[in-house]
Amino acid sequence: MKKLTHFFLIFVFCLSSLFVMSGCSQTYDQKELAIWFQENIIDEDLYISKTCTEKENASGGIDTVWQAHLKDLPEVSFELIDRERIQLFRSHEIVTTYHQEMGKYYSERFQNEYPAVFEGLTLGVPTDSDIPSVNGMYSSFSEIQTLCEKMEKFEAYLDQQPYPCLIRYGIAYQEPLTFIADNGGPSEEAFIDRQTYIFLENDDPQLKEDTLSSLLQEWSENSFANYALAYQIELESYPDELKKKKTESDQSSLTIVRSDETEIQYADLFLTRESDLSFGCFFEVLKRDGSYEVQGSASQFSFTATDGSRCAFSYSFQEACSPTSYNDWQYSKVFYYTKNDEKILLDHKPVIFQDLFQELTGDSYQLS
């Protein structure tokens, strides 16, 4: 018993020492905030309020917030925050909303001067970053270049301004047949949850070799090609461009593994970026197999499964439902398929997971 007590006291002492070394009692005063800002953001004189406010943050710690502005730009107010994080140990760090507020300030001025250029772009704040984002959504492959050129013009405008502003440029396809938004969540989160979403921050080292628009266009076109081929949609409109872009991407193709372990590789069929099998590619697999009674097209089809049941899939098969949690998201609709005319709910994405694929065909699939 004495040994257990001894070990317990040693454990408590070590744990207490770790808390001390982790800086759990550390806080920052106004002078330290000013030094941090001038060393990490911009070396300019600034005004920091004499009083502060406190509020709880997402980790359960306390944010101590001071209002501040650049001495020569009083019309743009931002926050300097002493953020207490509570994870294994307590710790403190300094964060600021400087870039968010400067992004709003510059985007409003830019829109007033060049309203046509900013049309189709929106300013948001990603949940995973203190950097604001300029987002654009395209409805077809041919619109990508124009969208990227608009972002390039805004970035050129920022380069001419006296004070820096970090921006994340994000682009996504509308995905009208396959995207289901979360149930009333922030529009920024609904935007970045699209499978075609790509982004580039304006301090990215790659911009020393390439222009913003050229990189965004290349990445967006590759993302669209991967998406369109994975879901077997939008293929008729852009066959040559998509084939060319596919050769430039690194997305692996599809292999079907039979129940007897025979493998069939389809070099022109691809899984989604989450390695799932879409409705459209499922249709192609069934059709090429030759042993299934398949009717319809990649976007809507029916077939007879190995157990004799008649199943139907369609990108239009979406069912309203009570808010259901998928990966910590809340969705108001989910996709479904029918089995002998009975609706069976799936997920918020139109994909066939491994267990369902095996149930319907007796086989499995994997990346090549």
Side-chain angles (χ1 to χ4, degrees):
M1 184 66 180
K2 288 183 179 180
K3 287 186 177 181
L4 287 175
T5 303
H6 179 69
F7 283 127
F8 177 74
L9 290 174
I10 292 175
F11 172 76
V12 171
F13 173 77
C14 293
L15 190 63
S16 300
S17 300
L18 285 172
F19 267 103
V20 171
M21 290 187 292
S22 71
C24 63
S25 60
Q26 179 184 2
T27 57
Y28 298 94
D29 59 26
Q30 291 164 300
K31 183 179 179 180
E32 290 170 320
L33 292 171
I35 293 173
W36 175 88
F37 184 86
Q38 291 166 341
E39 290 180 347
N40 293 276
I41 307 298
I42 180 175
D43 188 12
E44 294 283 344
D45 292 334
L46 72 160
Y47 168 81
I48 303 176
S49 61
K50 295 180 180 179
T51 59
C52 60
T53 59
E54 293 185 346
K55 60 183 179 181
E56 186 174 346
N57 59 43
S59 74
I62 298 298
D63 282 352
T64 306
V65 183
W66 283 266
Q67 295 298 317
H69 64 73
L70 299 179
K71 181 179 178 181
D72 295 330
L73 193 66
E75 60 266 40
V76 181
S77 176
F78 53 89
E79 295 177 345
L80 285 171
I81 305 169
D82 174 358
R83 174 155 294 164
E84 178 190 47
R85 292 192 182 276
I86 300 178
Q87 295 171 336
L88 180 58
F89 304 113
R90 292 177 185 267
S91 62
H92 284 256
E93 66 176 341
I94 302 174
V95 297
T96 181
T97 60
Y98 166 84
H99 292 294
Q100 297 175 22
E101 297 304 327
M102 290 301 294
K104 294 176 186 176
Y105 175 71
Y106 285 140
S107 66
E108 289 174 0
R109 287 163 60 93
F110 183 78
Q111 289 180 73
N112 290 335
E113 292 185 43
Y114 311 101
V117 175
F118 212 83
E119 184 178 349
L121 304 180
T122 59
L123 184 75
V125 180
T127 56
D128 63 342
S129 174
D130 296 322
I131 301 174
S133 62
V134 171
N135 301 319
M137 193 86 69
Y138 58 93
S139 60
S140 70
F141 183 85
S142 59
E143 296 176 3
I144 294 176
Q145 181 178 353
T146 300
L147 203 58
C148 294
E149 290 173 350
K150 287 186 173 186
M151 293 185 174
E152 180 77 59
K153 290 178 180 178
F154 180 61
E155 178 59 25
Y157 173 83
L158 291 182
D159 284 341
Q160 299 172 358
Q161 305 311 309
Y163 306 111
C165 179
L166 295 181
I167 292 285
R168 172 186 290 185
Y169 293 94
I171 299 180
Y173 176 49
Q174 288 182 354
E175 304 174 17
L177 296 180
T178 62
F179 180 71
I180 291 179
D182 64 294
N183 188 33
S187 58
E188 177 73 15
E189 292 177 352
F191 182 90
I192 67 176
D193 198 39
R194 282 174 164 79
Q195 297 182 63
T196 50
Y197 174 74
I198 63 97
F199 70 88
L200 176 67
E201 294 176 358
N202 62 352
D203 64 343
D204 193 299
Q206 295 179 81
L207 292 175
K208 295 179 180 179
E209 304 294 332
D210 294 284
T211 64
L212 181 87
S213 59
S214 63
L215 279 177
L216 284 174
Q217 183 173 344
E218 178 186 352
W219 295 355
S220 295
E221 289 179 350
N222 285 342
S223 178
F224 179 83
N226 289 341
Y227 168 84
L229 289 163
Y231 283 91
Q232 291 292 298
I233 57 179
E234 303 292 335
L235 299 181
E236 295 180 0
S237 301
Y238 314 101
D240 296 334
E241 291 91 339
L242 292 178
K243 183 177 180 181
K244 178 174 179 282
K245 286 294 170 185
K246 194 73 211 83
T247 63
E248 299 171 359
S249 72
D250 58 358
Q251 186 175 0
S252 299
S253 55
L254 171 67
T255 293
I256 300 300
V257 183
R258 300 285 200 192
S259 55
D260 62 2
E261 298 186 355
T262 301
E263 295 186 0
I264 303 175
Q265 183 175 356
Y266 295 105
D268 60 338
L269 296 181
F270 305 89
L271 297 178
T272 70
R273 70 178 187 182
E274 294 85 8
S275 299
D276 299 322
L277 184 68
S278 74
F279 288 0
C281 273
F282 185 37
F283 167 78
E284 286 295 322
V285 169
L286 295 172
K287 186 176 68 171
R288 297 181 191 188
D289 181 276
S291 61
Y292 295 95
E293 183 187 340
V294 188
Q295 295 178 339
S297 65
S299 60
Q300 183 162 337
F301 62 94
S302 62
F303 79 105
T304 302
T306 53
D307 63 359
S309 60
R310 192 67 184 173
C311 300
F313 292 82
S314 173
Y315 289 122
S316 65
F317 286 0
Q318 300 177 24
E319 178 83 347
C321 63
S322 300
T324 305
S325 179
Y326 289 103
N327 301 322
D328 298 326
W329 290 81
Q330 297 292 322
Y331 293 91
S332 58
K333 292 194 298 183
V334 293
F335 286 92
Y336 67 88
Y337 77 101
T338 62
K339 185 174 184 178
N340 295 329
D341 296 324
E342 178 188 355
K343 289 182 181 179
I344 300 178
L345 299 184
L346 293 171
D347 200 300
H348 66 282
K349 295 178 297 183
V351 297
I352 311 294
F353 294 118
Q354 280 281 9
D355 55 349
L356 179 58
F357 183 79
Q358 192 161 16
E359 175 188 330
L360 299 175
T361 67
D363 302 327
S364 62
Y365 64 80
Q366 64 185 28
L367 289 174
S368 299

